[in-house]
């Protein structure tokens, strides 16, 4: 089944304790992206990657890191989490080259609800 | 970059009535406009999309219209049902930046039985 898999689904941690949220897709998509979702603010992009070893900042990158060593994986790293990073996080992927003009839609993972105390 | 605005932020309709959600975008180079439905606690899921070379697309009870000149697009849900209750997001894909998607802030739709 074509899917984007995020782990863990729920995570509670304390301020300053490094954590990684994993994301993997099995659709051979070139493009991957991380979003955070907060009430009233919609989906805000954190980082994205156009291909292996190519990453770039989104709208809210502060406090986050990413890496893209393999096409299928795009982990989100919080080196020193703070309470303002408590949020619902979604990983997504798509392939800009498939389909007609405009590429394919974004496929989302099931989300990771992070609480930082 | 692209800016997508979505209205209304909340919408309540009686079961069987129609619901319309509107979005505007700023970048005339955007060429792909998906709509996502997000049920409580779940991931956004694509329900319909439209590309810039098409003015309207319909899939059963849902339809999307696109006005490129005015730079706005709308989601229309007819004969609404309680299971249509969810948050709906519009998005625009900016062609110039490769594959960047820009989202509206969402509309919380409640269908009252």
């Amino acid at each position: 089944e074509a899917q984007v898999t995020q782990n863990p689904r729920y995570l509670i941690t304390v301020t300053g304790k490094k954590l990684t949220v994993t994301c993997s897709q099995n659709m051979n998509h070139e493009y991957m992206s991380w979003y955070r979702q907060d009430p009233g603010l919609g989906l805000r992009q954190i980082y994205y990657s156009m291909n292996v070893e190519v990453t770039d900042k989104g709208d809210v990158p502060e406090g986050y890191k990413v890496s893209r060593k393999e096409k299928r994986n795009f982990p989100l790293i919080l080196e020193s989490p703070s309470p303002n990073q408590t949020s619902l996080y979604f990983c997504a992927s798509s392939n800009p080259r498939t389909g007609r003009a405009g590429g394919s839609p974004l496929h989302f993972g099931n989300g990771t609800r992070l609480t930082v105390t | 970059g692209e800016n997508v605005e979505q209205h209304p932020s909340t919408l309540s309709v009686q079961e069987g009535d129609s619901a319309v959600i509107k979005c505007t975008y700023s970048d005339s180079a955007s060429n792909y406009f998906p709509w996502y439905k997000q049920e409580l606690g779940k991931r956004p899921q694509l329900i319909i999309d439209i590309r810039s070379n098409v003015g309207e697309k319909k899939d059963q009870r849902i339809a999307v219209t696109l006005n490129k000149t005015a730079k706005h697009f709308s989601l229309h849900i007819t004969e609404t049902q309680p299971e249509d209750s969810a948050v709906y997001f519009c998005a625009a894909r900016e062609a110039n930046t490769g594959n960047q998607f820009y989202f509206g802030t969402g509309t919380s739709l409640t269908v009252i039985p």
Side-chain angles (χ1 to χ4, degrees):
Chain A
E1 180 189 350
Q3 59 185 2
V4 178
T5 303
Q6 282 180 240
N7 281 297
R9 290 293 309 278
Y10 301 92
L11 181 57
I12 301 173
T13 190
V14 296
T15 299
K17 186 176 181 181
K18 181 179 178 180
L19 66 92
T20 299
V21 184
T22 63
C23 175
S24 179
Q25 50 92 6
N26 62 0
M27 295 169 280
N28 203 35
H29 284 169
E30 293 180 354
Y31 179 89
M32 297 186 74
S33 181
W34 277 101
Y35 297 87
R36 60 176 290 173
Q37 184 175 29
D38 303 288
L41 298 177
L43 291 156
R44 294 183 293 166
Q45 189 178 52
I46 303 170
Y47 268 94
Y48 66 96
S49 169
M50 299 295 289
N51 213 326
V52 176
E53 301 293 0
V54 180
T55 63
D56 211 342
K57 296 178 181 178
D59 296 321
V60 288
E62 293 77 20
Y64 304 95
K65 284 175 55 178
V66 293
S67 69
R68 188 90 183 273
K69 295 186 172 62
E70 308 162 279
K71 198 172 188 178
R72 63 183 291 126
N73 295 323
F74 191 44
L76 179 69
I77 303 155
L78 284 72
E79 294 271 3
S80 183
S82 62
N84 65 10
Q85 292 178 298
T86 293
S87 187
L88 178 59
Y89 292 86
F90 286 101
C91 179
S93 72
S94 77
N95 192 337
R97 302 185 193 281
T98 61
R100 294 162 289 165
S104 71
L106 279 172
H107 298 258
F108 285 88
N110 283 326
T112 296
R113 186 167 292 283
L114 172 65
T115 302
V116 184
T117 60
Chain B
E2 175 68 280
N3 181 44
V4 177
E5 295 191 356
Q6 182 173 347
H7 299 280
S9 56
T10 60
L11 179 60
S12 291
V13 299
Q14 290 290 138
E15 182 177 358
D17 288 350
S18 295
V20 180
I21 302 170
K22 298 181 179 181
C23 289
T24 61
Y25 61 100
S26 61
D27 190 342
S28 56
S30 290
N31 62 359
Y32 174 64
F33 307 91
W35 284 89
Y36 289 85
K37 175 184 180 181
Q38 187 180 26
E39 296 176 350
L40 192 62
K42 297 191 175 180
R43 61 181 171 169
Q45 293 202 293
L46 179 75
I47 55 170
I48 196 166
D49 57 7
I50 192 167
R51 301 182 191 275
S52 57
N53 57 350
V54 175
E56 184 173 357
K57 183 177 178 180
K58 191 173 181 180
D59 182 3
Q60 299 182 341
R61 294 187 298 108
I62 60 173
V64 57
T65 58
L66 171 64
N67 183 326
K68 284 176 58 180
T69 304
K71 288 188 280 189
H72 67 70
F73 56 113
S74 300
L75 177 71
H76 304 252
I77 306 174
T78 59
E79 301 171 26
T80 53
Q81 300 167 4
E83 51 265 39
D84 294 329
S85 296
V87 177
Y88 292 81
F89 291 97
C90 64
R93 193 193 83 113
E94 191 178 43
N96 291 339
T97 56
N99 198 44
Q100 284 296 79
F101 285 83
Y102 295 85
F103 287 86
T105 50
T107 296
S108 178
L109 172 65
T110 301
V111 179
I112 304 164

